[in-house]
Amino acid sequence: MTAAANTKTTATTTYHDDLEIVRQELDKCMKCGNCMAVCPVYSIDKVESAVTRSKIAVADAVLTGELSLDDPQVYHMVFNCLVCKSCMTNCPTKVNFDRIVLALRAALVRKNGLPWLKKMIFSTLKHPKLFDTGMKVGAAMQGLVFRTDKTKKAISPRSPFASLGEGFGFDADRQMPELTVTPLRDRVPDVIKVDKPALKVSFFTGDSLNYFYPDAGQDLIEVLTANNIEVHIPKDQSCCGVPVLVHGDIDTVRTLARNNIDAFDKTGSDYLITGCGSCGGAWKHDYVELLAADPVYGLKAKHWAERTYDISTFLTKVISFRKPMGEVRSVVTYHDSCHLKKSMKVFAEPREILKSIPGVTFKEMSAPDTCCGSGGSYVVSHYETASGIGKRKAEDINKTGADTVSVGCPACMMQLLDNINRFGNAQKTRHYISLLAESYRKEKGK
Amino acid sequence: MLDRSIIEKLEALVGKENVLTSKMDLVAYSYDATADVPRQAPDVVVLPTTSEMVQEIVNLARANKIAIYPRGSGTNLSGGTIPLKKGIVLSMQRMNKILDVDAANLTAVVQPGVVIAALNSAVAPFGLIYPPDPGTVTTASMGGSCAENSGGLRGLKYGVTKNYIMGLEVVLANGEKVRFGGKTVKNVTAYDFSNLFVGSEGTLGIITEITAKLIPAPKYRRSMMGIFKTLQDAGNAVAGIIAAQVIPATLEIMDQMTIRTVEDFANIGLPTDAKALLLIEVDGMSQDVVTAEAEAVMNVVKTNNGDLHTADTDQERDQLWTARRNALPALASLNNTVVLEDATVPRSRITDMLVACENIGKKYNLTLGTFGHAGDGNLHPTILCDKYNKEEISRVHKAVDEIFEAALGFGGTLSGEHGIGIAKMKYLGNELGQSGLNLMRSMKEALDPEYLLNPGKMVPLKEV
Ligand SMILES: Cc1cc2nc3c(=O)[nH]c(=O)nc-3n(C[C@H](O)[C@H](O)[C@H](O)COP(=O)(O)OP(=O)(O)OC[C@H]3O[C@@H](n4cnc5c(N)ncnc54)[C@H](O)[C@@H]3O)c2cc1C
Ligand code: SF4
Ligand code: SF4
């Protein structure tokens, strides 16, 4: 049986399926307000409904029937959150707020279904081939709507579209990464062999590295092979599902999870490597949680969760990566992506890698782990708040005097690209793995 | 529900985006950090951005007899911001500008919505600090902490909020704006209005601007922990430190229940068989003085049978304070409801009060841990209970009654820092007597005859 065929079969025992299950999480909140200090949405909106504890109070009111999920304000509140988990790291009683907000979103979708646009996009995600074709068509057509800044590989809306998009942040200044004509997985073979490999790993590319930052994806592969690692890139992998998960479409994310597990089971590799905090978090935590009640895939999800590593952790903790020798003259600062730091607890490793590169001067920005405001589609649905948050990030980056801001998550790279364009000093935004790859390349005088 | 026309007038005054009426928003303003107080949603939430707007809102409210509840960050622990009688919640969250930092005069002028920690970040480049640091320093507002007269970990040496407020701008219930005090170090003009409004919990006027005193940041510090086998030894050590003429910046105590819970929660290697811990920090401008003070403290700890643990690096210091920071969260994680009290006694009676709390906990069969600011006698007996268990909650109420009875019996007070609000109104007569209550009422009625400002807090509503 294919994964797609058994979408709705599993028992309904997670908070994704039953809002009641989060009640005990709600009770943990003592309304102390510590979350206010770190919630990026509150820092801009300055209203209680933006603060975690209020979202908890509203969830409580929904459970007691005082408020209804159909209330448009409740709907708005439930989606006015980046699911960045900053509040969770500052919460004295360890309320797992991500569960609360995801449970609410899933309950909303169960009750009212998905809005048509989301439904359309998410259903194509379930059919990776169709989605892939769509992205390629999009890449071919983007020139009609967008103009390209060749040096940055960035695109901005052309004038008629720019004036339509004003107010939604799709104005003429809005920079987005170019959608690639040849995605990563079309650029490389399924298996990239090396002589006498030390290890065999599988690379989960995720959509962003595949379609938006394929060069960074190639850099990641190059770094692995430079460390004598054989790399498998299963062609039939699909989106990790996090963008869908955060919109409450649990059926689709379960389908994607099973698809991906099938694709990686076939490789039989020792490790699963990611280059994106969201993808890594999906494999390490979300799949296990979502498939807990599935007798077959539940176990498989656990198997992979134990073998999933962000590329930086893999390089520093699993193998001892070869110290790079080529000089990369650059002043670099590092932005801690929420999903990497707060979900995967990865923060020391990328810094260790950056500091190992000859020529790199590392400058820490103040509060490097405050959210950049991306939150996947949050930046589209709440452009104003997101760009308030992004502006602050850009200012922190400016203060370091760095010429490059390095990140470990493509979604943050997109947000930083736009905000540096608006508020920054023309700094480059690069995945830390690209800097390492560049150093390895320079060794060979390339 | 308020008349639509009033909402429209409010929208005209402050802009539509600063008036919230949806049921969801009202739920969001129906509580504060206080456990076990009634929840109530207001009719409307208004977020002014200037003091002129505040005046206009007050005028509109007075004309229509609508109650107003000033609100900062809603972190108070006495129910002070609950809109008991419905009406307008006046949120200061968007009046959050730092207007002036004057290093030459050691002052800063801020709007009430500025968060305490934000003020500290703004003055840090000048080598200055604003010392009052309640546990909520990263979230509480300057307005809220003025209105609560908050204290904090540094209260023993550096005092509490009232010692740092040099001037205020206040909008009164009659809509007039008054300003008093300012940047001068000395100011004895007229009544001491700053001290009247600081600690008035939003019942006498709305604070719209604050002139705060800053001090140079101490340059050196030493932290240590004293570990004691009996509560008496710990209490005597507190008295001994003061008798040795050392005023530590911080002098905190944790009882055994708290120690064990923190250790379970955070695994930081605390001695779980100790009956009490003292966490002590001395600081100052000169290395020699700080060293001498630290040595004096260590001697006192030893002569009172305490084991010593000192922090020699910043990292060790952080570890030490982690224990204190974890006290409340650790206790709170034991059950779904935390009743955090604030009974305060003269510091010579600390031991008596600790013993009394322990006994009260036993008597009512409650999970009760006590920690707090030993140096200033300000203890936080903390009861962990289940809000769904009515019978237990009634035992909690009896225990709280006895805690305050004990504190007053030792010559103490109802509140060292959390204020009266709704939570402790009923005990007020026990401390102030009838003449005190009469004075409270006269003050309230002189300034707010119609009980428009934060009604039902501190001064009971008039029975009609
Ligand atoms: C975990 C925790 C730890 C705490 N630790 C401490 C501590 O160590 N020391 C301490 O003193 N307190 C402590 N508190 C209590 C509380 O944080 C402080 O009293 C804080 O200063 C309140 O600030 P706020 O901005 O949240 O005020 P709010 O809670 O919003 O308001 C408090 C009172 O002030 C009034 N008010 C607010 N703004 C204004 C204004 N502009 N004009 C007039 N009245 C106004 C309100 O009506 C209310 O009565 C703690 C609370 C928690 C939850
Ligand atoms: S920090 Fe945690 S316990 Fe405190 S109010 Fe926020 S969610 Fe609740
Ligand atoms: S997850 Fe992030 S945005 Fe959402 S409430 Fe928590 S801190 Fe705020």
Side-chain angles (χ1 to χ4, degrees):
Chain A
M1 187 168 60
T2 65
N6 68 355
T7 307
K8 287 190 178 174
T9 50
T10 48
T12 58
T13 49
T14 75
Y15 60 83
H16 294 294
D17 311 287
D18 183 359
L19 191 54
E20 276 294 330
I21 293 176
V22 293
R23 190 185 284 276
Q24 62 194 45
E25 213 56 67
L26 302 180
D27 274 344
K28 284 196 209 162
C29 173
M30 58 174 182
K31 303 287 180 283
C32 68
N34 272 15
C35 41
M36 277 180 146
V38 290
C39 175
V41 176
Y42 175 72
S43 76
I44 303 298
D45 287 0
K46 294 285 180 208
V47 281
E48 275 294 322
S49 62
V51 186
T52 322
R53 65 172 181 178
S54 278
K55 293 172 175 153
I56 294 173
V58 169
D60 219 334
V62 167
L63 277 176
T64 59
E66 188 186 343
L67 283 172
S68 156
L69 277 176
D70 294 324
D71 182 332
Q73 296 293 329
V74 171
Y75 180 92
H76 175 79
M77 185 225 73
V78 170
F79 281 96
N80 192 18
C81 167
L82 292 147
V83 202
C84 70
K85 308 189 193 202
S86 303
C87 49
M88 291 162 58
T89 57
N90 214 36
C91 174
T93 57
K94 304 192 174 131
V95 176
N96 292 303
F97 180 69
D98 55 343
R99 292 174 187 230
I100 297 174
V101 74
L102 293 179
L104 280 168
R105 292 179 183 182
L108 261 167
V109 171
R110 267 200 310 282
K111 190 145 184 246
N112 298 338
L114 281 167
W116 70 269
L117 184 62
K118 285 187 194 173
K119 195 191 267 162
M120 203 179 76
I121 300 171
F122 296 170
S123 66
T124 53
L125 273 181
K126 274 200 262 195
H127 304 285
K129 289 236 165 60
L130 184 67
F131 182 67
D132 190 62
T133 312
M135 292 302 262
K136 285 175 193 159
V137 172
M141 310 275 284
Q142 63 191 345
L144 295 177
V145 184
F146 300 101
R147 62 201 150 75
T148 309
D149 178 340
K150 281 274 174 255
T151 53
K152 293 186 197 155
K153 292 200 167 180
I155 53 173
S156 304
R158 285 188 190 279
S159 63
F161 300 98
S163 48
L164 270 176
E166 266 166 38
F168 303 101
F170 277 91
D171 54 25
D173 281 345
R174 174 69 177 268
Q175 286 203 342
M176 286 158 281
E178 203 174 14
L179 195 51
T180 181
V181 180
T182 320
L184 174 62
R185 293 199 294 269
D186 289 354
R187 293 185 187 188
V188 294
D190 291 24
V191 182
I192 299 149
K193 291 204 181 297
V194 290
D195 292 339
K196 300 202 190 99
L199 272 175
K200 189 172 125 177
V201 306
S202 292
F203 174 25
F204 182 78
T205 67
D207 283 341
S208 326
L209 286 179
N210 194 42
Y211 296 110
F212 290 104
Y213 292 108
D215 294 353
Q218 282 185 298
D219 290 337
L220 190 151
I221 296 167
E222 214 177 301
V223 165
L224 284 170
T225 53
N227 280 281
N228 204 24
I229 310 271
E230 179 174 310
V231 189
H232 292 235
I233 305 160
K235 282 272 186 294
D236 43 0
Q237 56 176 296
S238 47
C239 168
C240 68
V242 168
V244 184
L245 177 69
V246 299
H247 287 278
D249 181 0
I250 302 306
D251 282 346
T252 301
V253 68
R254 281 197 170 113
T255 305
L256 292 170
R258 291 191 187 101
N259 270 347
N260 282 326
I261 289 173
D262 284 343
F264 280 76
D265 273 353
K266 277 186 229 153
T267 66
S269 356
D270 310 306
Y271 298 99
L272 188 153
I273 304 300
T274 58
C276 159
S278 307
C279 299
W283 282 96
K284 266 203 117 44
H285 307 292
D286 301 325
Y287 289 179
V288 178
E289 186 99 48
L290 283 158
L291 299 172
D294 182 323
V296 178
Y297 283 90
L299 288 176
K300 292 182 173 185
K302 275 212 188 98
H303 169 92
W304 284 111
E306 287 157 14
R307 286 162 182 76
T308 297
Y309 288 93
D310 179 68
I311 177 72
S312 66
T313 315
F314 180 77
L315 292 174
T316 56
K317 301 269 162 67
V318 181
I319 64 169
S320 188
F321 75 109
R322 187 165 68 69
K323 296 292 165 277
M325 318 262 268
E327 192 175 17
V328 180
R329 282 209 157 273
S330 184
V331 183
V332 179
T333 189
Y334 178 72
H335 161 65
D336 281 296
S337 303
C338 296
H339 287 178
L340 260 191
K341 171 140 194 223
K342 291 152 198 165
S343 176
M344 298 196 47
K345 313 286 177 223
V346 171
F347 51 93
E349 300 90 325
R351 289 178 169 82
E352 186 182 333
I353 290 173
L354 288 168
K355 286 176 186 166
S356 76
I357 302 173
V360 163
T361 312
F362 186 77
K363 282 262 171 74
E364 200 76 79
M365 70 179 93
S366 80
D369 62 353
T370 51
C371 179
C372 65
S374 160
S377 60
Y378 186 87
V379 54
V380 182
S381 56
H382 297 76
Y383 185 75
E384 223 173 293
T385 309
S387 103
I389 300 168
K391 180 174 183 207
R392 207 167 290 177
K393 191 91 230 176
E395 286 163 358
D396 285 345
I397 295 167
N398 291 346
K399 279 185 209 141
T400 62
D403 54 52
T404 300
V405 53
S406 163
V407 207
C409 197
C412 303
M413 287 168 71
M414 294 187 203
Q415 167 77 348
L416 290 171
L417 175 73
D418 186 37
N419 282 284
I420 285 175
N421 175 47
R422 287 171 202 268
F423 312 110
N425 300 330
Q427 294 93 339
K428 285 194 222 97
T429 308
R430 298 180 77 186
H431 198 293
Y432 63 82
I433 208 70
S434 297
L435 287 149
L436 179 59
E438 184 181 336
S439 178
Y440 281 150
R441 278 197 293 272
K442 289 221 166 123
E443 286 172 14
K444 300 176 216 145
K446 277 201 232 169
Chain B
M1 262 306 279
L2 285 182
D3 210 61
R4 184 67 221 162
S5 69
I6 300 211
I7 306 287
E8 278 160 15
K9 281 180 192 149
L10 286 168
E11 286 174 348
L13 287 177
V14 298
K16 257 187 178 342
E17 70 285 4
N18 291 319
V19 178
L20 312 176
T21 52
S22 79
K23 198 167 170 193
M24 186 278 303
D25 275 312
L26 302 181
V27 166
Y29 288 87
S30 68
Y31 62 83
D32 55 30
T34 322
D36 199 30
V37 291
R39 283 199 184 177
Q40 175 64 58
D43 290 315
V44 57
V45 179
V46 189
L47 298 116
T49 49
T50 66
S51 42
E52 287 69 32
M53 286 182 187
V54 174
Q55 278 184 287
E56 308 250 23
I57 296 162
V58 169
N59 286 333
L60 181 70
R62 195 179 63 251
N64 295 281
K65 297 209 186 311
I66 304 166
I68 300 183
Y69 310 87
R71 180 181 169 107
S73 305
T75 68
N76 76 88
L77 292 170
S78 49
T81 44
I82 309 274
L84 267 185
K85 298 277 147 198
K86 296 186 83 79
I88 301 173
V89 162
L90 190 71
S91 167
M92 297 299 183
Q93 283 162 307
R94 290 180 179 165
M95 276 180 79
N96 63 345
K97 289 198 190 68
I98 295 176
L99 301 170
D100 176 40
V101 174
D102 182 346
N105 282 309
L106 296 178
T107 56
V109 181
V110 299
Q111 286 190 315
V114 170
V115 170
I116 306 172
L119 173 58
N120 266 312
S121 312
V123 304
F126 302 96
L128 300 173
I129 56 168
Y130 170 77
D133 59 343
T136 41
V137 60
T138 58
T139 52
S141 71
M142 286 296 290
S145 60
C146 276
E148 253 351 315
N149 195 2
S150 303
L153 292 185
R154 295 192 282 226
L156 172 59
K157 179 167 179 177
Y158 294 105
V160 298
T161 302
K162 69 177 171 191
N163 305 114
Y164 293 88
I165 302 306
M166 299 176 69
L168 292 176
E169 178 189 89
V170 178
V171 171
L172 301 172
N174 64 8
E176 278 173 3
K177 192 160 76 179
V178 285
R179 296 179 70 100
F180 41 81
K183 287 185 178 179
T184 61
V185 175
K186 288 176 158 182
N187 181 327
V188 296
T189 303
Y191 297 137
D192 187 355
F193 288 124
S194 292
N195 261 334
L196 175 62
F197 286 95
V198 172
S200 64
E201 300 189 21
T203 62
L204 298 181
I206 298 156
I207 299 167
T208 48
E209 197 182 288
I210 299 154
T211 304
K213 176 163 108 182
L214 308 170
I215 63 166
K219 288 199 175 68
Y220 305 94
R221 61 190 179 198
R222 286 292 295 281
S223 301
M224 57 220 111
M225 175 163 80
I227 304 159
F228 297 89
K229 292 195 185 61
T230 70
L231 284 175
Q232 277 72 16
D233 283 339
N236 292 341
V238 172
I241 291 167
I242 307 294
Q245 299 188 332
V246 176
I247 307 284
T250 334
L251 177 45
E252 299 285 306
I253 194 163
M254 282 162 63
D255 72 355
Q256 186 170 48
M257 163 80 195
T258 311
I259 299 167
R260 290 191 172 162
T261 315
V262 170
E263 187 50 31
D264 275 355
F265 182 81
N267 294 319
I268 37 190
L270 294 181
T272 46
D273 52 348
K275 266 298 222 176
L277 288 185
L278 291 180
L279 298 167
I280 310 155
E281 183 163 293
V282 291
D283 69 4
M285 287 301 182
S286 117
Q287 177 94 65
D288 294 348
V289 174
V290 171
T291 306
E293 288 192 342
E295 273 164 16
V297 169
M298 292 190 229
N299 275 333
V300 173
V301 169
K302 280 184 209 143
T303 52
N304 286 288
N305 314 311
D307 286 336
L308 250 175
H309 177 92
T310 56
D312 297 318
T313 62
D314 277 350
Q315 204 185 354
E316 283 171 4
R317 176 181 182 264
D318 279 350
Q319 264 173 1
L320 210 145
W321 290 109
T322 305
R324 174 60 179 87
R325 273 197 298 274
N326 273 307
L328 177 59
L331 288 169
S333 67
L334 294 178
N335 210 333
N336 61 35
T337 304
V338 198
V339 176
L340 176 73
E341 285 309 344
D342 175 34
T344 302
V345 294
R347 63 185 149 228
S348 59
R349 305 303 295 270
I350 281 277
T351 313
D352 297 330
M353 191 63 203
L354 284 167
V355 173
C357 290
E358 206 176 72
N359 290 338
I360 293 168
K362 278 192 199 130
K363 177 172 169 191
Y364 291 103
N365 189 22
L366 292 167
T367 311
L368 186 155
T370 303
F371 61 94
H373 319 296
D376 46 34
N378 184 186
L379 293 176
H380 296 309
T382 302
I383 306 175
L384 298 316
C385 49
D386 174 7
K387 64 182 172 194
Y388 301 114
N389 181 343
K390 289 228 167 66
E391 185 273 331
E392 187 183 38
I393 295 294
S394 83
R395 277 185 280 131
V396 172
H397 292 162
K398 284 185 199 142
V400 171
D401 288 351
E402 283 191 27
I403 288 171
F404 287 114
E405 206 179 299
L408 293 181
F410 295 131
T413 178
L414 294 173
S415 176
E417 52 184 25
H418 295 168
I420 299 300
I422 309 176
K424 279 181 272 188
M425 231 163 62
K426 64 173 173 176
Y427 307 119
L428 212 50
N430 300 345
E431 182 168 342
L432 299 181
Q434 190 54 48
S435 53
L437 291 183
N438 293 345
L439 176 61
M440 295 272 299
R441 196 172 285 283
S442 315
M443 303 285 292
K444 172 75 178 171
E445 292 187 355
L447 287 171
D448 179 18
E450 295 178 280
Y451 289 73
L452 290 176
L453 297 179
N454 212 357
K457 318 293 166 64
M458 208 132 81
V459 184
L461 291 171
K462 253 200 191 147
E463 313 248 340
V464 269

